[in-house]
Amino acid sequence: MSDATNIDGKASAANLRAEISRKVALVKEKHGLTPGLSVILVGEDPASEVYVRNKGKATVEAGMNSNTYTMAENATHDEVMAKVEELNADPAVHGILVQLPLPEQVNEDAIINAIHPAKDVDGFHTLNVGRLNSGQDAMVPCTPVGCMVMLKEVVGDLTGKRAIVVGRSNIVGKPMAALLLKEHCTVTIAHSRTQDLAAECRRADIVIAAVGRPRMVKGNWIKPGATVIDVGINRIEDTSTKSGSRLVGDVDFNEAVKVAGAITPVPGGVGPMTIACLLKNTLTAACRQVQVPEPD
Ligand code: GUN
């Protein structure tokens, strides 16, 4: 059997970002609206710093306003809360993103739920979670939306497909399952305590790997011809590279590519789509807040 089709997240993200840039230019011209995204980063986690820098850069490239607020690792809960409240009250800020994880002295749930739901471009606020799960219009988390865009590009109609989501996080696993269900898939949510995970995966037409464990999903867990979306970004030691490390996903790519019908690479798969979807959510949030139609 020939190797799986590579799902090119970079190319899909470039298309989506070009479309968003075009729409941002339109709302500026027609309505004098410049969407604005503010990001709060607390502490100095190197991975978070990279993500936040990339988000800010992409926001500016799309023609939107970007502000990043960096707070010290020892910032208090009240200080972070005060920043969220300040941004809630600022009409030039249409999207607020608090980069996770937060230091332990900051109550993550309370901070997320303090963000105005209309500005919650991450879709993590309890109200948006509830709206998504009850089939109402919601801000939907960026990574799962990005996965769905790529899935639909390769699979088309998802009705009746067996899908497995490996991982049950609030950021990816749970909202991913909700979106697959909305598209009429038969959905299994698996996790670290699932019995015979390999057998569960082998039944699936669609595998979404979001466990955060390097190369955990093996080639012989994949049903021949299945579509595999790898959300994992894990840095592993590799002395053959200049830096001494490299990024791998949650799927053993070299094995799975021999069995799957289509698969996302790491890097260059889900990652670029997540940022593109954040821009999309920011544009949507801005149009809703100032009550102008989002351009087609
Ligand atoms: N940390 C890891 N992924 C995310 C994300 O999508 N949003 C936020 N806010 N923090 C994250």
Side-chain angles (χ1 to χ4, degrees):
M1 207 163 89
S2 60
D3 278 3
T5 304
N6 206 51
I7 304 173
D8 188 348
K10 260 194 199 161
S12 299
N15 286 337
L16 188 51
R17 284 173 62 170
E19 191 187 316
I20 293 159
S21 297
R22 179 182 63 79
K23 291 180 181 178
V24 169
L26 276 175
V27 294
K28 261 189 204 175
E29 187 190 306
K30 275 194 177 171
H31 307 288
L33 167 65
T34 304
L37 173 66
S38 288
V39 176
I40 301 174
L41 171 64
V42 187
E44 287 165 11
D45 176 65
S48 291
E49 282 177 343
V50 173
Y51 295 146
V52 166
R53 203 177 320 124
N54 289 341
K55 286 170 188 177
K57 197 164 157 263
T59 307
V60 171
E61 281 172 12
M64 306 193 214
N65 288 331
S66 160
N67 280 302
T68 300
Y69 299 92
T70 308
M71 304 180 78
E73 178 72 33
N74 63 358
T76 65
H77 174 82
D78 290 350
E79 284 168 343
V80 180
M81 187 62 97
K83 182 48 83 180
V84 169
E85 282 165 1
E86 178 193 318
L87 297 173
N88 276 341
D90 185 341
V93 174
H94 306 101
I96 302 171
L97 184 150
V98 179
Q99 186 67 26
L100 305 178
L102 289 168
E104 62 179 24
Q105 74 277 12
V106 182
N107 181 334
E108 199 163 285
D109 288 342
I111 294 294
I112 286 170
N113 282 323
I115 297 172
H116 192 292
K119 297 190 178 189
D120 170 36
V121 285
D122 257 329
F124 296 164
H125 191 289
T126 304
L127 189 78
N128 282 315
V129 175
R131 291 177 74 93
L132 170 64
N133 281 281
S134 56
Q136 300 171 58
D137 246 358
M139 297 302 296
V140 183
C142 308
T143 301
V145 172
C147 294
M148 288 307 286
V149 171
M150 289 189 290
L151 262 183
K152 284 191 184 169
E153 277 172 9
V154 284
V155 180
D157 185 6
L158 305 182
T159 304
K161 303 282 185 202
R162 274 185 204 277
I164 187 164
V165 182
V166 188
R168 54 175 156 175
S169 69
N170 292 332
I171 296 181
V172 183
K174 286 181 209 154
M176 189 72 229
L179 290 178
L180 290 162
L181 197 55
K182 211 168 151 197
E183 294 298 322
H184 317 292
C185 290
T186 302
V187 184
T188 301
I189 305 178
H191 46 79
S192 56
R193 301 198 195 170
T194 296
Q195 284 182 23
D196 204 349
L197 183 54
E200 292 290 345
C201 287
R202 257 181 236 122
R203 283 151 33 100
D205 306 304
I206 294 165
V207 178
I208 313 285
V211 259
R213 295 207 193 159
R215 292 180 293 198
M216 190 181 98
V217 176
K218 301 297 173 197
N220 65 3
W221 296 17
I222 305 295
K223 175 172 160 178
T227 303
V228 178
I229 307 284
D230 189 350
V231 182
I233 303 178
N234 310 288
R235 189 163 286 284
I236 61 159
E237 195 177 307
D238 182 349
T239 49
S240 71
T241 67
K242 224 180 185 177
S243 64
S245 71
R246 71 186 164 100
L247 294 178
V248 297
D250 291 349
V251 177
D252 190 321
F253 184 90
N254 292 339
E255 288 183 13
V257 75
K258 305 272 179 227
V259 191
I263 185 167
T264 58
V266 177
V270 175
M273 282 303 283
T274 296
I275 293 191
C277 292
L278 173 65
L279 303 177
K280 186 170 183 284
N281 278 354
T282 304
L283 173 64
T284 302
C287 290
R288 286 187 188 159
Q289 278 160 61
V290 300
Q291 298 184 328
V292 302
E294 196 173 332
D296 292 324

